[in-house]
């Protein structure tokens, strides 16, 4: 087994690795001339575990659309080419964005301390000031998010950022909170204990629930999307795939995933074909990484409404996927990772001046109007709160526009509300066929600030 391990990851002495990085620092180029309709981002660097996820994560956090990618990391060197555009399908020409990409992907000593906050990142921000991170996972039910936010508001916690996913009747969320008077992180063990107990009581819900609800706290750095994938993976949400109804996941979103053996080079080849959407590459690479698989080569293509992705992988111990059980588990886990972000519901984008209890108030109004939240993103930039909710009628029926009008009146004129029908994103081919199921506020936020 030790000899197999060397096939995958040769041992690097830390000092030698630092020396090699100084001699051969990562090279990053942002090329706007080679391709007529996209920007080429090329990354050459020393190979190391997790480097592919690191690169994809940075590009994804900038809300860039990756239309094609060629990845090769067999041996001591890592070489990637990404074809990217912005959300409007245009090249990346903004000098600040280009500078950020070069620094973020370049030598680490060069960018240390400079890249904690990207001003253009609206949701999933990590540098939200002094905060306490709360992680919750449990059984989902209508109105649960409203109950969670009401508990936080009653205990004088202000929500400065959050992301909520639901999948296979489970809910996972990461919530950033601080004290509503001091705006500082809460480290009082008594207050945290009271909060934890109340949240657990809400999450527990049914005594006969076969899976335990969990709450945990952290003062440190966390990447929201990756953490949500890890929480669901640990919760084994992929095992309940038979529970999902076709209402939740229509046939157009059903991924086709195969695992074959590439005998020539002793790789396992994972092929994924599914409807394209934002952050698809990140979700797949994140899951393969957390399942302890190493990607040696990959090709990503998404010229139309569908994406085709091929990964040549081995387990970290150097082994390929030889048993049917291993293959089936990879297929189930990737299918779950792809589906966690899929939202067919109505999209509500809200902008308002931030205040304590705002999120609790909005989620209460949604619940009282019979709407169930399938996914949510919450962030605060300065004094402005920006929330996105994907909602469905709690009884499973299409959302009535009368409900939306009632919602507008109840939320009030101080909140800017933008409503997007699912057909606009799921069926319209657009220029590249993107189903934009991630959180992009576009002009709404700029209009609100005007």
């Amino acid at each position: 087994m030790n000899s197999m391990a060397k096939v995958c990851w040769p041992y690097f002495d830390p000092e030698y690795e630092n020396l090699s990085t100084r001699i051969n620092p990562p090279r990053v180029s942002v090329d706007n001339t080679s391709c007529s309709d996209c920007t080429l981002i090329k990354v050459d660097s020393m190979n190391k575990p997790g480097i592919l996820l690191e690169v994809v994560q940075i590009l994804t956090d900038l809300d860039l659309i990756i239309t094609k990618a060629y990845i090769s990391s067999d041996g001591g060197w890592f070489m990637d080419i990404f074809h990217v555009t912005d959300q409007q399908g245009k090249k990346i020409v903004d000098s600040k964005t280009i500078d950020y990409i070069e620094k973020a992907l370049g030598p680490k000593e060069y960018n240390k301390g400079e890249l904690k906050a990207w001003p253009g990142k609206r949701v999933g921000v990590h540098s939200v000031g002094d905060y306490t991170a709360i992680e919750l996972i449990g059984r989902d039910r209508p109105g649960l998010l409203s109950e969670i936010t009401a508990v936080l508001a009653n205990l004088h916690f202000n929500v400065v950022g959050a992301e909520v996913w639901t999948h296979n009747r489970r809910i996972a969320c990461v919530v950033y909170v601080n004290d509503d008077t001091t705006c500082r992180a809460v480290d009082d063990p008594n207050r945290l204990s009271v909060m934890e107990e109340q949240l657990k009581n809400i999450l527990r819900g049914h005594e006969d629930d076969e899976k335990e609800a969990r709450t945990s706290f952290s003062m440190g750095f966390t990447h929201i999307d990756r953490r949500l994938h890890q929480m669901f993976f640990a919760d084994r949400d992929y095992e309940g795939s038979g529970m999902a109804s076709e209402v939740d996941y229509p046939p157009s979103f059903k991924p086709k995933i195969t695992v074959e053996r590439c005998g020539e080079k002793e790789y396992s080849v994972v092929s994924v074909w599914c409807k394209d959407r934002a952050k698809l590459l990140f979700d797949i690479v994140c899951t393969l990484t957390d399942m302890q698989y190493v990607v040696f080569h990959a090709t990503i293509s998404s010229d139309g409404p569908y994406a085709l992705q091929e990964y040549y992988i081995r387990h970290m111990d150097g082994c390929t996927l030889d048993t049917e059980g291993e293959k089936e588990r990879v297929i189930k886990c990737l299918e779950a990772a792809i589906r966690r972000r899929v939202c067919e519901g109505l999209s509500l984008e809200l902008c308002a001046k931030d205040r304590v209890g705002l999120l609790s108030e909005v989620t209460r109004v949604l619940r009282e109007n019979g709407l169930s939240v399938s996914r949510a993103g919450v962030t605060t930039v300065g004094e402005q709160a920006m929330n996105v909710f994907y909602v469905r009628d709690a009884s499973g029926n299409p959302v009535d526009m009368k409900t939306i009008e009632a919602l507008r009146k109840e939320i009030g004129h101080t909140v800017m509300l933008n409503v997007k029908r699912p057909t606009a994103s799921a069926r319209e081919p657009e220029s590249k066929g993107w189903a934009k199921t991630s959180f992009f506020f576009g002009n709404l936020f700029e209009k609100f600030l005007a």
Side-chain angles (χ1 to χ4, degrees), residues 18 21-22 25-28 95-96 98-116:
N18 290 338
T21 306
R22 288 198 297 272
R27 294 194 300 274
V28 182
S95 59
K96 285 184 181 176
I98 292 172
D99 186 53
Y100 182 89
I101 291 168
E102 290 173 344
K103 286 182 178 177
L105 298 176
K108 290 294 171 274
E109 60 271 16
Y110 174 57
N111 61 44
K112 201 175 288 180
E114 290 183 33
L115 303 170
K116 289 181 181 174

Side-chain angles (χ1 to χ4, degrees), residues 252-318:
S252 64
F253 277 100
K254 182 164 177 59
K256 292 181 175 63
I257 303 170
T258 60
V259 181
E260 306 289 342
R261 186 180 174 85
C262 175
E264 189 182 330
K265 289 278 190 178
E266 293 190 349
Y267 297 121
S268 290
V269 186
V270 178
S271 300
V272 180
W273 185 86
C274 66
K275 187 148 188 177
D276 205 0
R277 61 159 175 77
K279 304 193 179 183
L280 179 64
L281 176 60
F282 170 83
D283 294 337
I284 292 173
V285 171
C286 182
T287 302
L288 289 172
T289 303
D290 286 336
M291 291 182 76
Q292 307 290 300
Y293 291 106
V294 180
V295 176
F296 289 88
H297 301 280
T299 56
I300 287 40
S301 177
S302 52
D303 285 333
Y306 292 91
L308 177 61
Q309 305 192 359
E310 272 193 344
Y311 299 87
Y312 291 73
I313 68 169
R314 290 190 204 124
H315 196 269
M316 279 190 77
D317 62 10

Side-chain angles (χ1 to χ4, degrees), residues 9 20 34-35 43 98 133 139 150 156 168 217 228 232 281 306 309 316 343 348 383 395 407 434 448:
W9 295 116
S20 298
S34 299
C35 196
V43 183
I98 292 172
R139 186 167 180 175
H156 302 287
N168 280 343
F217 302 104
L228 287 166
F232 269 132
L281 176 60
Y306 292 91
Q309 305 192 359
M316 279 190 77
C343 293
L348 304 177
E383 293 186 346
S395 58
L407 197 68
W434 290 100
F448 184 79

